[in-house]
Amino acid sequence: MAIAEMSEILILGRKRDNLEVIRALQDAAVVQIDPLEDSEIPKGVLLGADAERKSQLERMLARTESALAAMGATDALPDPAKLRGIELEPLLEEVGKRSDVLALEKSELSQELGAIGSFQSIARVLGELASGLGKSGRVAAIGFTVSDNKDLEKLKAALSEANVIFELGHQPAGKSSAAVLAVRSQDAAFARSAVSRAGLAELRFPGRFEGLGYSEAAALMEQRAKTSPEEMQGIMQSIESLKTKHAGMLAAARVELKDELARYEAVSSSVAGKYGFALRGWIPKANHAQLENALTPLKGQVIYQFSDAPHHHADHVPVKLVNNSFVKPFEMLIGILPLPAYGTFDPSWVLALCFPLFFGWIIGDVGLGAISVILSFWLAGQAKAGKTISIDLFGAKLSPPVLENLSHVLRWMGISSIVFGFVFGELFGTLGEHLGIFKFAGEEHNALITAPLHRVSSSATAIMLLISLIPGVIQVLAGWLLRAKLGYQHKDMPHFYEGIGMFLAVAAMLPWVGQFALGWTFPSWVFPVQMGLLVLGVVVFGLLSKKLMFMALELPTNFGNVLSYLRLYAVGLSGAVLANLATDTGWALGNQIGSVPGIILGTLAACVVHLLFIAFTIIGHVLTPLRLHYVEFFTKFGYYDHNGRAYSPLAKLSGNNAAK
């Protein structure tokens, strides 16, 4: 459970073998190629047939992407079997043209239906008002919409001011009114100017209805309103048929084209002379043998050399996290932050152990934990079926791999909640007590289980506060020790002294945490020991690290960091009180009404209140444990001081190599 040890690799070979070597690297899927910079040797370039092939691949890939987008199949699963024995480029052109035509027809028809939906009622009224006007050419009809009579009064005033003779009629049309202004043809320009000055605009219909008279537009809209839906259905069926027949093939072609194009693009990351080329890359040490096996067929054509990656000032070295099957899904909680820098510390395992515990401590309910576990199995089923879940509220799409990781994390969150639910004696709040499942120590009534800790009781406050502080003490102190370790490892002595000094100073302050937060008292000799450790940590190590002032100012913050973990108890207590209120409300309602209707109404009331409380508090219940890690722990060992970049080896998209 760490950051993979990396090696830098330099590969040399004959210029004519460049693409063949890159193909071998792509098959191995373990080398991340980085451009060679500051070299007097020119960059590798494609010439002749290779350059033409790259251009052809780019055209074919663009055609494939546009065809998939046109048929709404960008997430189609590849079906490589459909690629066998076909001439890809002619087929792509044929399918692409057909999909483009259908997409254009769909777009135009959608616009037409939208215009009909927006303007049909208005066109009908305008057609009735303007019936017969304008046919002789001596009268012009100008249609528009108005929201109230004030607009009409403004228009009349503007027309009178321009000395325009007019007739004006209007009728309701949906939420507004449609109006037609009739004037002499020679006054049309003045009339349109008056309409504009009155804050109105002449109505013009879009698309195929543009330029038609109001009566003609209304008639055509009525006709198309009947026939267009059937045409749209036919277009959609054609698109679906095309999608069923070719989407899998296009998706497979997209993968193959991207894989081949990646090889040609990798050439630009090399340098090449007249006869030879050179490539530089990064590879995990554990994959050396895998690369050597891939390059064995090219023995005599290529030479390569490994060298250890630096551990200090190594921001340029790519980072690959190596964790076991339990910890790996929790990497998604690190994924929302920049990766740790190479040669530092991967905190994924800390999150894997502590995040579910913190969440369970906050929720602490058997029923809510069971719901989390059930939901996790449902998400796992969706992932296994290859489905993607869209969350429109956040504009997010959860792919099968993400769902699989999420189900794992959620399952352990639920298990932790169930365990602490038995400790706290909570099943959907007080439902376990009402049903005789839980009781607490000292209570006389019979129950199946005696819960050891009644967290909403004032008698449990001291122990709950103490337990909540323990992870804060451990994480804050461990963070500074880790800071010292990394400083020593990187020969960065100021960081080493800072870590040791802050560890001693924070440790010296811990009795005050017990005194102020828990009301503890200590023997008189404790205070001189505290002062000695503070002087040693802040003054001595502060001078050694040249951060005396910084460390002195940071001490109160670190004291507050430890106390911040009390929010685990505070947030959990508030959630428990709300859950108890929800269940007690439903239980009281059921008892008051009595019989079956009372039970049903009470259950519904409890469920509604529970759902409301969960909806309003669940984000805080998740963010609180994460914040304690991100802010109180990560900042101590310098997680944010340097960022790493993700290890991204050259690999086939169609492959499933474990080294990716």
Side-chain angles (χ1 to χ4, degrees):
M1 295 184 288
I3 298 172
E5 290 283 319
M6 303 294 290
S7 297
E8 185 176 19
I9 182 171
L10 182 65
I11 302 173
L12 303 174
R14 295 178 301 187
K15 186 175 181 179
R16 66 186 183 187
D17 296 329
N18 197 341
L19 275 173
E20 188 177 0
V21 172
I22 289 173
R23 181 190 293 274
L25 297 181
Q26 190 180 47
D27 290 338
V30 294
V31 176
Q32 175 174 323
I33 298 175
D34 275 1
L36 279 163
E37 304 292 348
D38 300 326
S39 174
E40 295 181 0
I41 304 176
K43 292 284 186 182
V45 294
L46 297 169
L47 301 172
D50 289 336
E52 291 178 7
R53 177 58 179 168
K54 182 174 181 288
S55 297
Q56 181 188 29
L57 291 170
E58 290 172 339
R59 291 194 303 271
M60 293 169 66
L61 180 58
R63 201 69 175 112
T64 303
E65 296 279 18
S66 66
L68 285 169
M71 62 179 68
T74 53
D75 57 351
L77 296 176
D79 187 355
K82 291 186 176 180
L83 285 177
R84 297 183 191 132
I86 67 168
E87 286 289 334
L88 185 57
E89 191 168 15
L91 183 59
L92 285 178
E93 195 63 29
E94 177 188 343
V95 175
K97 285 182 179 179
R98 179 60 179 154
S99 61
D100 287 346
V101 169
L102 289 172
L104 180 60
E105 291 177 353
K106 177 186 174 185
S107 175
E108 291 176 346
L109 194 54
S110 295
Q111 292 176 6
E112 183 178 328
L113 287 169
I116 291 172
S118 300
F119 295 105
Q120 186 177 15
S121 60
I122 296 173
R124 185 183 301 115
V125 173
L126 291 176
E128 293 173 357
L129 291 172
S131 178
L133 294 176
K135 290 183 179 180
S136 65
R138 290 182 293 178
V139 177
I142 302 172
F144 51 91
T145 58
V146 293
S147 56
D148 54 44
N149 288 331
K150 292 181 180 179
D151 294 332
L152 295 177
E153 295 302 323
K154 291 180 183 177
L155 176 59
K156 290 177 181 177
L159 290 168
S160 298
E161 184 179 343
N163 295 318
V164 175
I165 300 173
F166 66 91
E167 288 291 335
L168 182 63
H170 63 93
Q171 290 182 16
K175 296 181 180 180
S176 59
S177 293
V180 170
L181 174 66
V183 298
R184 294 179 301 177
S185 296
Q186 59 265 37
D187 293 334
F190 298 105
R192 288 188 172 90
S193 177
V195 168
S196 179
R197 290 199 306 276
L200 303 171
E202 184 178 2
L203 187 62
R204 300 184 185 278
F205 299 125
R208 69 184 302 168
F209 308 107
E210 185 178 1
L212 296 178
Y214 299 128
S215 299
E216 291 84 350
L220 183 57
M221 286 184 184
E222 185 176 355
Q223 175 193 348
R224 295 297 293 163
K226 297 175 182 177
T227 59
S228 293
E230 186 176 343
E231 291 180 20
M232 179 62 80
Q233 184 179 1
I235 292 173
M236 296 305 297
Q237 288 175 350
S238 297
I239 291 175
E240 190 61 33
S241 175
L242 195 67
K243 180 178 176 180
T244 301
K245 186 176 180 180
H246 295 296
M249 179 275 294
L250 291 175
R254 176 174 56 187
V255 170
E256 294 291 339
L257 292 169
K258 284 185 175 181
D259 283 343
E260 187 175 355
L261 192 57
R263 294 195 290 272
Y264 285 96
E265 290 174 343
V267 172
S268 63
S269 295
S270 67
V271 294
K274 187 174 182 180
Y275 301 107
F277 77 92
L279 276 169
R280 186 191 69 163
W282 302 94
I283 177 172
K285 285 188 176 182
N287 298 120
H288 281 193
Q290 190 173 342
L291 176 63
E292 290 172 340
N293 289 336
L295 293 178
T296 297
L298 299 175
K299 189 175 182 180
Q301 298 173 248
V302 63
I303 59 175
Y304 52 89
Q305 177 181 320
F306 299 110
S307 58
D308 291 341
H311 282 77
H312 190 44
H313 299 301
D315 296 352
H316 62 292
V317 181
V319 173
K320 178 185 179 183
L321 304 182
V322 181
N323 292 298
N324 59 34
S325 59
F326 171 73
V327 175
K328 193 162 189 62
F330 286 88
E331 290 178 7
M332 64 186 298
L333 301 179
I334 298 291
I336 62 177
L337 302 172
L339 281 171
Y342 182 76
T344 59
F345 176 71
D346 171 21
S348 300
W349 66 270
V350 178
L351 277 165
L353 292 176
C354 297
F355 174 71
L357 287 176
F358 290 2
F359 180 83
W361 180 257
I362 289 174
I363 297 296
D365 189 289
V366 175
L368 297 179
I371 290 175
S372 298
V373 172
I374 293 170
L375 179 58
S376 76
F377 280 109
W378 180 79
L379 291 174
Q382 298 297 106
K384 190 174 182 180
K387 295 183 178 179
T388 296
I389 295 179
S390 298
I391 305 178
D392 296 333
L393 179 62
F394 300 103
K397 287 188 177 182
L398 306 181
S399 63
V402 173
L403 291 176
E404 187 176 357
N405 290 336
L406 184 60
S407 69
H408 177 90
V409 174
L410 187 60
R411 187 172 307 132
W412 283 103
M413 291 165 63
I415 291 171
S416 177
S417 301
I418 291 172
V419 171
F420 282 113
F422 281 104
V423 173
F424 300 147
E426 295 180 21
L427 172 65
F428 294 118
T430 55
L431 183 61
E433 294 179 67
H434 290 305
L435 296 176
I437 298 174
F438 288 116
K439 74 171 186 176
F440 300 96
E443 295 181 352
E444 299 297 330
H445 62 84
N446 294 324
L448 295 175
I449 301 170
T450 300
L453 199 57
H454 191 191
R455 64 170 166 172
V456 298
S457 170
S458 58
S459 61
T461 300
I463 186 65
M464 292 290 294
L465 289 173
L466 175 61
I467 295 174
S468 297
L469 282 173
I470 289 174
V473 172
I474 294 173
Q475 287 198 345
V476 172
L477 290 179
W480 286 116
L481 275 182
L482 184 56
R483 179 79 157 191
K485 175 183 179 295
L486 292 173
Y488 184 80
Q489 176 182 319
H490 296 159
K491 309 304 180 187
D492 187 349
M493 300 315 292
H495 277 166
F496 170 74
Y497 294 134
E498 179 191 4
I500 295 295
M502 290 301 294
F503 173 82
L504 293 175
V506 173
M509 298 178 71
L510 291 181
W512 290 335
V513 176
Q515 181 179 350
F516 293 121
L518 304 174
W520 291 352
T521 57
F522 296 92
S524 58
W525 58 265
V526 172
F527 182 73
V529 172
Q530 284 183 273
M531 293 298 100
L533 289 175
L534 281 171
V535 171
L536 179 61
V538 176
V539 179
V540 176
F541 283 97
L543 290 172
L544 288 172
S545 66
K546 300 180 181 179
K547 294 184 177 182
L548 173 61
M549 186 62 67
F550 170 79
M551 291 171 64
L553 294 174
E554 275 292 297
L555 268 184
T557 300
N558 278 263
F559 186 74
N561 291 157
V562 175
L563 293 179
S564 285
Y565 286 76
L566 291 175
R567 69 185 68 208
L568 292 171
Y569 168 56
V571 174
L573 179 62
S574 64
V577 171
L578 293 175
N580 292 351
L581 175 62
T583 299
D584 289 342
T585 299
W587 192 268
L589 180 62
N591 286 338
Q592 184 175 1
I593 298 175
S595 68
V596 175
I599 294 174
I600 294 174
L601 287 175
T603 302
L604 288 175
C607 289
V608 169
V609 180
H610 268 295
L611 286 173
L612 287 174
F613 288 156
I614 291 172
F616 286 120
T617 61
I618 191 62
I619 293 179
H621 292 166
V622 173
L623 290 182
T624 294
L626 288 177
R627 181 200 174 278
L628 292 173
H629 284 88
Y630 295 160
V631 177
E632 323 300 343
F633 177 50
F634 286 13
T635 54
K636 304 301 175 290
F637 62 86
Y639 181 92
Y640 304 104
D641 292 353
H642 301 281
N643 298 331
R645 61 188 184 112
Y647 166 66
S648 179
L650 177 66
K652 288 183 176 179
L653 297 175
S654 55
N656 191 24
N657 197 298
K660 285 186 180 180

